Every structure is written in structure tokens, then in C-alpha cells.
Amino acid sequence: MQQWQWKTGALFYLGLIAASSLAMEVDSNQSLAALLDTEVQGASRFAQPLSEAPSPVTVITADDIRRHDLRTPGEALSLVPGVFTSYDRIYTNIAIRGFGLPGDYNSRIQFQVDGASYNDTIFDQALLGPEAPIAMEWIKRLEFVSGSSSALYGGNALFGIVNAELWSGEDINGTRLGIHAGRFGERSVYALTGRRLDDGADWVMGISAYGRRGDDLFFPEFVPLDGAGMANGLDGEHTLKAYAKYSQGGWRAMATYARRLKDIPTAPWDTTFNRAGNHAEDEHIHLDLTHSASLSALWQQFVRMHLGQYTYRGHYLYTYAGDDYVNLDLARTRWLSGEYRLGYAGFDGHHISLGVSARKDLSVRQRNFIEPDLNLFEDEHGNRNLALHASDEWRISPRWIANMSGRIDWLPNTGSITSPRLALIHRPLPEMAVKLLWGRAFRSPNLYERYYNDGGITQLANPGLKPEKMESKEITVDYAFTSSLKGGLSHYRYEIRDLIEFDTDASNGLSRFENLSQAHARGWDMNGEILLGQGWHVRGNLTWQSVSLDSGPVVNSPRRLGKLRIDGPLSSHWNLGLNLQAMSNRRSFAGNTLSGHTIANLTLSQQAQGPYGRWQISWHNAGDKAYADSAASEHRLDAIPQDGRLWSLGWELAL
Amino acid sequence: MIKGAARILLLWFVLLGAPLQLSTSLASIAVAAPRSEAEVKSEIVYNVLVFVQWPAAESGTGQPLQLCLLNAGPMEASLIQLAGRPVHGQQLSVITITGSNEEIKSCNAIWIDSNNADALLRMASAARQRPLLIISEGSTSIGKGAMVALYPEGGRIALAVNNAASRSSRLMVSSKLLRMARIVTGGGND
């Protein structure tokens, strides 16, 4: 080559190096934001790494969601020790530490989005499947805080809180598009766009749509009625969700919309089998406005106003003597809630928080009628509550932290309930953390349990229901053996009294919700985490859990739960994610045994966007294991068979 | 001629491609691996220095910015690693001091352990006489003389800035830094 070519080449090369070192300082803007967002692990007396939080916390990041192709909040929560989900082909139900009675409405956990409670005020439910009020692609991180948190968040937070922190414009800084295709005609598409502006304003918007044709399903229990026992093309599902958030200064405004339509193949409530016309629709609309400000160096203030609306429409087809009748179930509630919190950091070593929260139902309607207008039941009772809460995180010494919180809730018809919580965290060694936790929590009976009736034909109302009360105790020890090997062991005991259950009076065949029993749950949880070389990460846990109810045997409660998660780079471009979920036998609703099983989920995802976008392929239930979840009383079925191997292909582009 | 150009193009592509690939893969490793707390905090301190402006007379041409460490404890090792990094066109100098008034005169920024309330007060009064950026840990140190404080929140490190104190020490905190701080007292920049 000629001299001038070498010289130009060398100059260009040197220029590039100079430019990149300049870029290093200029790029600090990006890297500072990333640093402030980095999870920190350490055993310093100043840090509050996750292991020093007053309750066991499991964090599932957007990266985890991608590595394991977690399609719903329920799937993400299956990664949490002691948690599994059951699906009855209408809703996804969660079971925590052996507590997951079929027919429960996930009312014992609180579902939060950016800190705002999303449980509706009729059923108090956390929707965790495709019916969830948010889309997975909006989630930056999902936190599950286990244990009684009524001391901070009031009723519903009996077994824990799920908080989904959503992306801001700054995180997206551009546009993301994605498409998914999967088995049984599954198609989904999403777009997410956002930006942070120079004046500090931040906006983000997203829209997601999903559809699934579903499989033709065989139910042997229907053979005597129907002959073939096949529900053809009746497991379809469609969702549409939208998200927008704007923040400036200390203000933040967020809006979410989600609508889901699901065909019901299982003919519950003695509806007509294998006929189109049984479906459920859920719609969630939320508006949230918050403002945080520091009043001074020591005082911080936080205000929230939230408007929520939830609508459920059930469309049920009945056939008598050759004529079709449509029975419609409607539940709609609109509520307003507000919260004011003050934080004070003036006392050395203390971090104090005081707050007041209030919630009022603006309009409630529960209705069951036969088309066109034959009312069987209608009720418009609403609810309201007011609460005061206080908490203090006290760094007693470099090795001891105490976390004390308490809340008083005033509920109409019930009076006041106090929910205290104490946590003591001790670090005898830098590598070890010991936690002692004690708390009292409650769950108020929801409007459905109290007022729903079908005109006295089979179900009666019970307005006099009392709240469920729970006391929980837990001890946890976490130990970091080396910088790449961690382990933990915990033991818990939960006592619940006045547990609300659906009870049938044998003498007259009428049912209603009653404060029926006492429940005792206790167990051991063992977990380990290993960082192997080259970026491989292995996490495993085993839970021994035992629940007993003094009203009878416990349904859907396996004695042992095991999980194993392996992630790592298969090559310089592809990541592998393996997620194994195992459980021992469970009792079904009718008393049969649902056999234990291990389900493997395998995902291959690209580490970064290539020239053709970013690809991902996954197999849920890669082993094609046949298994079933328990049904509840409304089903003719005792067990609902679950899907076999599901492949899914995803493509994403970031602009 | 064409053959020659193709060879050059290939050579440039290889030469330019290699460091780019290396730096992006290093960057992705840096982001992906779990970070120790001291490492993250030191990186944040470096970024803070980049986003604060000292008055021109003080920094002078050719004078490296001096970061002094007082009782840094577990942070000392990682903060010393920042020496030599580019800050405002010069290389950063990092030294440990015992806290005497003589030593403070040569400091442009000081990292101080938050448990030492007396030293913090002394630094705060020194900062009123000459531009001195005081960085500490714990959100309460903001009320005791620190201008920038790093504190843990939700498993991550957050920043608190006392803009009034830094302004009275004739330091200009970039609005980019103020934006990223969780707590800012003393208002923004006019």
C-alpha cells in the first residue's frame, strides 16, 4: 500500500480513539443515569441492599422477563419462592405458601403499579394472567414483597404485595416495536415510545394487543352430556392495553387501560357446553397523579390521587328445552383514592414516615340478569375507608436495624383495625443477615362476598361478614459464602382466623360466604444462588409448606415446591434461560389427587439488537408434560387440563 | 486501483471495527456483571466531579483537580482508583488527608465519612472561604454541611444535592446532575 494511505489510515484511527475518549467524558450523562439505576450488592453498614429490606423481596427485572419469556405477571411471580399459579381457563389464580384455594380472587395480595393499588373494590382482585391491567413490555421491574404488609398498605396485603415499576421516557428514549407469534394462533404486537426532554419533562406511551385462537379441548366429564366431550374453538382470548405517563418536576401523571375478552370452554355454572356464547370480559381503567417534593433537607412530601374503574361482564349461555337463554353478570366499580405521606430524616439514624390514606367508591353496581332485562340480582352498595399509618426505619447501630410500622384502618360497619409490623435485622458478620419478622394483617370482606346473591335460588348475601385477621412470624438467615455463592433459609408461621369461605348449608342447599375457619400455615424455605464463570447464574429454591384448615382438607396445596433457574450466555449473541417449576401432589376440589409434576420452560434470546432486530424463541412446558389444575365449585370438572408444549417466537426492534 | 482501495477499506474496517467491538463488549460486561457498592459509589463520585464547575480562577490552567479523602474507610481503595481520570480537561488527583486546615487548602473536593460530624462542620466553614465540594454518605449529611450525598434507596444508590451550599461555595452544579438527584435543596440554577 502507498504511504499516503497508511498515513490517512493512521490519522483516522487516532482521531477515532481521541473521539471515543472525549465521548467517555461526554457520555457521563448516560452512565450516571445507569449508575443510579444499578442494583448494588454489598455488605456495607451504609447500604440497604435487598437483603436488608424489612420483608423478603424478590425482584424480577425486565432482563429476567426477556430471558425467560415471561408473558404475564403470574408467570413472573412463579419465579418467587413459595409461589405458583393455577389456571382454570378463565383467570389465573395465585397460591402463596400453600394458600391458593380455588375460587379465590387473588384478594390476599395487593397489586400495585408504580406504587398505586390496582385491586378493584368489588372483588379486591389482583389480575395476573393476560387479563392483567398492564402489559409485560411496560415493566421495568416487578417486586414481590412477601409477608403481611397491612401495616403499610392496608387490607389485601395479607400475603404480600406485587409492585410493577413501569418504564419512563428516559428508559426508552426512542421507540420499541415488537411482534410475537406462538402456538394455537397466538399473535401479539406492541409499540412503546418515550423520551426525556431537555427541560426535564419525561413522557412515555405504549399500546399492546394480543390474540389467541386456542385449542380444541377434550373434557371427559362432559362425555355423558355431549358425546364427544370436545369444546371446539372455545378457548380464544384477546386483549388490548394502553399506557401513558408524563412527568415533570415532582409531578407524575399516569393512565392505563386494559381490556380482555376470554371464551370459556369449561361450561361453568351449568352453562351450555361446546356452544359459543360463554365468555368473560374484564376492563381496567386507571388514572394516577402523584407529586413528590422535598420541603427542606429533612422533610419530604408525597401526594397521590388515583381514580380507578373496573368492569367485569360475564356472558353465559343456558339451554332449556331447546331454547337459548343468556345470563349476564355485571360488576362495575369506580373508586377514588388519595394518599398523603411525609418523610422525616432529621433524627440521626431514623427514617420516619407518616401518612394518611382514604378511598371511596364513587359508583358500584353488581347485577345478574337474564337477557333482555330480567333481574335476578342487583346491588349498589359501595365502600369507603380511611387509614393512618406510621413507620420508622431505625439504624440502631452498624449491625442492627429495626423497622417498625403500624396502620389503623377505619372501615364502616367494622370499626377500626390496627395492623402493626416489626422487623429486626441483624448482621453478626458482613456476610450474614438475620431477620426476625412479626406482623398482623387483615382482609376486609369484599362487596362480592358480602352482597352477591342470585335471588336466593342458590346463593345468599352475607352483609355481616367480618374481616379475616392474620398473624405472621418469620425468621430468615442469609449467608454469602463467597462473592459468588449465597444461600438462605427461612421458617414462617401464619395463623389466620375468620377465614372467609364459600359454604353450603346441607339442609337447604343454599350457599353463602361465611367467616368459617382458622387456617394455619407453616413451612421452611431454602434457597441458593451461584454465579458461575462467564456470566452464568444459577438460582434454586425448595419450599416445604403445610397448610391446615379446621373446616376440612386443604385444596390445591402441594407440600413441596421447587424452582430452578439457570441463565447465561450460550454464545456471544444468544442467552439461554431455563426455568424449572416443580411441585408435589395436590388435592383437587373433589378430593382427588392431582399428581405432582415438573414443568420446564426454555428460552433463547438475543443479547442485543442485531442488524435484523432482536429475536427470541421459547418453549413453555418444553417437556410437553400433561398436568391439570384444580377447578372450583362452579365447574362440573374437577381438574382443568393445562397446555402442553407451547412454542413462541418474538421479534423486537428498538429505534 | 480498485483492488488497492478494497484492501485499504478492509484494513480500515478491521482496525476501526476491533476497538469498537471491544469497547461495546467491555461496556456490556461492565453493565451486566453485578457491581459492588464501593465500585458504584466511586463511579458516581467521578460523575459528580464532572458535573460540577469550579470558578475559572480557582481551577486555573494546568492545575489538576484534587479530590481529598478523609476517613474514607471501605471507600478508600475504590476512590483512589479514580486518580488519573479526565475531569474538566485535566487528570484527577486523589490523596488521603488527616483533615488539618493546611491540607484542606489544596483540596478542590473532599470525600468525608458521614459519621464525623465535627469534621463535616469544619469542612462546611472552609467551603465558605474557598470553593470546596463536600461529598458524603447518608441523606442526613446534607443538613450537616455536605453538598452532595450518596445514600441507599430501594437497593440502589441515590443522590441528594444541597444546591444552596454549593452556590455559597461558588460552585456551579450542572442542571443535568440536579435532574438526576432524588433530593435537591436550595433550588435550581437561575
Side-chain angles (χ1 to χ4, degrees):
Chain A
M1 289 210 285
Q2 295 188 342
Q3 267 242 320
W4 68 268
Q5 289 165 335
W6 279 110
K7 279 191 188 154
T8 343
L11 274 170
F12 194 96
Y13 192 56
L14 287 170
L16 197 77
I17 294 179
S20 59
S21 55
L22 193 71
M24 246 185 77
E25 199 182 302
V26 168
D27 236 335
S28 293
N29 199 3
Q30 292 280 42
S31 54
L32 180 60
L35 283 167
L36 293 172
D37 201 37
T38 306
E39 296 275 338
V40 149
Q41 300 171 352
S44 143
R45 59 193 168 133
F46 296 113
Q48 187 176 57
L50 297 181
S51 70
E52 280 188 8
S55 294
V57 180
T58 306
V59 176
I60 295 150
T61 62
D63 191 47
D64 293 324
I65 292 171
R66 181 198 297 279
R67 281 172 187 263
H68 296 287
D69 195 27
L70 304 171
R71 313 301 299 285
T72 64
E75 272 186 50
L77 292 174
S78 304
L79 265 50
V80 176
V83 174
F84 70 93
T85 57
S86 297
Y87 180 49
D88 64 0
R89 296 204 174 269
I90 315 173
Y91 291 101
T92 297
N93 299 307
I94 196 168
I96 299 173
R97 290 184 155 164
F99 230 93
L101 303 170
D104 261 356
Y105 288 95
N106 296 340
S107 56
R108 298 190 183 90
I109 59 163
Q110 196 178 86
F111 188 82
Q112 295 177 352
V113 176
D114 275 357
S117 170
Y118 265 43
N119 293 54
D120 71 275
T121 62
I122 291 181
F123 304 103
D124 277 331
Q125 56 184 338
L127 293 178
L128 300 172
E131 64 273 16
I134 55 170
M136 292 305 275
E137 44 267 12
W138 305 339
I139 297 179
K140 182 172 176 175
R141 48 190 267 153
L142 196 70
E143 277 178 352
F144 181 74
V145 181
S146 129
S148 312
S149 300
S150 290
L152 286 173
Y153 299 107
N156 285 147
L158 212 61
F159 287 126
I161 298 170
V162 181
N163 182 34
E165 192 188 314
L166 303 185
W167 296 118
S168 294
E170 185 178 28
D171 301 315
I172 307 291
N173 216 30
T175 302
R176 285 187 200 170
L177 302 166
I179 299 178
H180 254 100
R183 200 177 171 203
F184 302 134
E186 186 194 292
R187 304 269 183 272
S188 69
V189 62
Y190 78 87
L192 194 60
T193 178
R195 197 163 288 278
R196 188 183 188 131
L197 306 170
D198 283 331
D199 60 359
D202 185 298
W203 63 270
V204 59
M205 285 194 319
I207 190 157
S208 302
Y210 161 88
R212 189 196 204 217
R213 189 191 64 241
D215 197 13
D216 296 332
L217 300 165
F218 172 65
F219 299 115
E221 291 90 336
F222 283 104
V223 171
L225 282 183
D226 183 81
M230 288 295 294
N232 294 312
L234 293 174
D235 200 34
E237 190 167 25
H238 300 272
T239 72
L240 180 67
K241 301 181 187 176
Y243 163 55
K245 186 158 80 180
Y246 179 81
S247 56
Q248 169 132 52
W251 289 97
R252 199 207 69 208
M254 176 172 76
T256 63
Y257 175 80
R259 183 162 175 262
R260 181 212 56 162
L261 187 64
K262 174 82 183 44
D263 290 330
I264 302 172
T266 51
W269 310 117
D270 288 326
T271 48
T272 313
F273 181 70
N274 198 25
R275 285 275 308 280
N278 289 327
H279 53 255
E281 187 186 309
D282 299 271
E283 189 189 59
H284 255 281
I285 305 176
H286 290 265
L287 294 169
D288 193 65
L289 184 66
T290 64
H291 179 72
S292 35
S294 2
L295 302 174
S296 76
L298 303 171
W299 287 93
Q300 268 189 294
Q301 173 185 270
F302 176 81
V303 190
R304 180 196 302 277
M305 287 292 280
H306 188 92
L307 185 67
Q309 179 174 291
Y310 171 69
T311 309
Y312 157 74
R313 284 189 195 88
H315 189 282
Y316 298 106
L317 186 68
Y318 286 89
T319 312
Y320 290 124
D323 286 326
D324 284 341
Y325 298 90
V326 171
N327 179 275
L328 289 172
D329 229 358
L330 173 74
R332 160 175 280 186
T333 168
R334 195 179 304 134
W335 72 93
L336 184 66
S337 65
E339 188 188 344
Y340 181 82
R341 257 194 339 241
L342 273 176
Y344 181 63
F347 297 129
D348 217 8
H350 289 262
H351 197 107
I352 297 173
S353 165
L354 297 160
V356 57
S357 320
R359 192 178 83 182
K360 185 174 193 323
D361 287 332
L362 300 174
S363 97
V364 176
R365 198 161 186 223
Q366 296 188 71
R367 189 178 175 215
N368 183 282
F369 61 106
I370 295 184
E371 244 183 17
D373 213 15
L374 178 63
N375 255 7
L376 294 179
F377 154 72
E378 191 164 5
D379 189 278
E380 288 182 1
H381 279 97
N383 209 352
R384 64 183 191 280
N385 92 327
L386 179 68
L388 273 178
H389 45 96
S391 75
D392 181 21
E393 188 199 282
W394 179 21
R395 294 198 163 258
I396 305 169
S397 76
R399 297 204 196 285
W400 289 88
I401 302 175
N403 199 294
M404 301 156 284
S405 42
R407 181 171 157 135
I408 308 178
D409 282 84
W410 284 277
L411 311 161
N413 310 323
T414 314
S416 66
I417 299 186
T418 313
S419 311
R421 189 180 71 180
L422 288 172
L424 196 61
I425 299 148
H426 176 47
R427 293 207 107 106
L429 305 163
E431 314 83 62
M432 187 163 150
V434 180
K435 281 187 249 193
L436 289 161
L437 310 160
W438 171 83
R440 288 222 175 107
F442 73 97
R443 182 179 81 86
S444 211
N446 60 51
L447 293 170
Y448 166 71
E449 286 162 341
R450 275 203 268 156
Y451 297 110
Y452 188 88
N453 71 78
D454 61 354
I457 300 170
T458 63
Q459 185 173 349
L460 300 171
N462 189 355
L465 275 175
K466 294 181 292 180
E468 295 175 341
K469 298 233 176 110
M470 169 162 146
E471 184 169 343
S472 66
K473 297 173 201 155
E474 186 168 350
I475 177 168
T476 305
V477 178
D478 289 311
Y479 192 82
F481 297 95
T482 72
S483 61
S484 51
L485 178 63
K486 274 201 289 190
L489 186 65
S490 66
H491 176 60
Y492 65 88
R493 282 179 194 227
Y494 295 164
E495 305 287 333
I496 306 173
R497 52 189 172 80
D498 291 328
L499 189 73
I500 296 171
E501 286 188 276
F502 196 57
D503 185 46
T504 306
D505 188 340
S507 62
N508 53 25
L510 293 173
S511 318
R512 64 178 196 169
F513 286 98
E514 299 274 11
N515 292 105
L516 205 57
S517 52
Q518 284 218 320
H520 316 272
R522 64 197 55 183
W524 290 88
D525 189 273
M526 193 170 78
N527 63 78
E529 197 174 324
I530 312 169
L531 287 168
L532 301 167
Q534 257 78 44
W536 284 89
H537 199 163
V538 180
R539 274 168 276 220
N541 84 275
L542 266 173
T543 307
W544 283 269
Q545 52 193 29
S546 126
V547 176
S548 66
L549 280 178
D550 59 9
S551 61
V554 188
V555 180
N556 199 31
S557 185
R559 280 297 181 96
R560 291 180 303 279
L561 267 186
K563 292 160 203 277
L564 184 66
R565 194 161 37 132
I566 302 175
D567 324 269
L570 260 190
S571 75
S572 56
H573 298 294
W574 289 87
N575 281 331
L576 173 80
L578 178 66
N579 169 20
L580 284 169
Q581 307 274 328
M583 66 173 79
S584 58
N585 297 343
R586 293 172 283 172
R587 191 192 162 90
S588 77
F589 194 77
N592 299 314
T593 303
L594 298 170
S595 49
H597 55 263
T598 303
I599 303 294
N601 302 305
L602 190 68
T603 307
L604 287 171
S605 54
Q606 275 191 301
Q607 284 163 17
Q609 183 162 292
Y612 306 106
R614 200 165 173 176
W615 291 87
Q616 173 199 72
I617 183 162
S618 73
W619 293 269
H620 278 71
N621 194 358
D624 203 19
K625 179 89 187 155
Y627 70 106
D629 284 334
S630 182
S633 60
E634 63 264 25
H635 289 100
R636 188 184 177 83
L637 309 163
D638 179 41
I640 308 207
Q642 303 295 302
D643 288 330
R645 185 185 301 123
L646 296 171
W647 63 265
S648 170
L649 189 63
W651 176 85
E652 185 185 278
L653 187 68
L655 303 166
Chain B
M1 199 56 199
I2 296 169
K3 210 166 105 180
R7 269 218 308 255
I8 296 158
L9 233 55
L10 189 68
L11 197 68
W12 282 13
F13 192 74
V14 165
L15 279 175
L16 298 176
L20 280 174
Q21 274 168 13
L22 193 66
S23 57
T24 43
S25 60
L26 275 176
S28 58
I29 287 172
V31 167
R35 310 284 292 273
S36 80
E37 182 197 328
E39 206 189 310
V40 173
K41 279 183 176 167
S42 308
E43 289 293 325
I44 292 175
V45 168
Y46 170 66
N47 277 275
V48 166
L49 295 174
V50 168
F51 282 119
V52 171
Q53 289 276 23
W54 275 256
E58 191 61 33
S59 51
T61 47
Q63 283 276 33
L65 202 77
Q66 178 114 297
L67 170 66
C68 301
L69 310 180
L70 179 60
N71 297 335
M75 288 293 296
E76 195 171 296
S78 44
L79 283 170
I80 286 190
Q81 300 270 345
L82 297 177
R85 294 252 204 127
V87 178
H88 302 308
Q90 303 298 329
Q91 290 197 324
L92 179 67
S93 151
V94 183
I95 60 165
T96 49
I97 57 170
T98 58
S100 72
N101 291 333
E102 271 303 308
E103 287 170 314
I104 296 169
K105 285 183 189 160
S106 65
C107 304
N108 301 111
I110 187 160
W111 166 276
I112 180 165
D113 171 31
S114 65
N115 280 348
N116 199 340
D118 287 329
L120 202 50
L121 280 171
R122 249 185 333 113
M123 299 306 143
S125 66
R128 284 193 278 275
Q129 263 115 49
R130 49 180 293 275
L132 178 66
L133 179 68
I134 304 174
I135 311 176
S136 186
E137 290 183 285
S139 53
T140 52
S141 56
I142 279 288
K144 294 179 190 150
M147 293 162 194
V148 175
L150 278 62
Y151 67 99
E153 191 171 83
R156 290 175 269 209
I157 307 295
L159 281 176
V161 176
N162 187 339
N163 208 18
S166 56
R167 271 209 301 252
S168 68
S169 191
R170 288 181 290 136
L171 297 165
M172 245 289 276
V173 179
S174 153
S175 54
K176 287 191 181 124
L177 182 62
L178 290 178
R179 220 192 289 154
M180 287 192 235
R182 293 273 182 107
I183 302 172
V184 177
T185 60
N189 300 321
D190 313 311

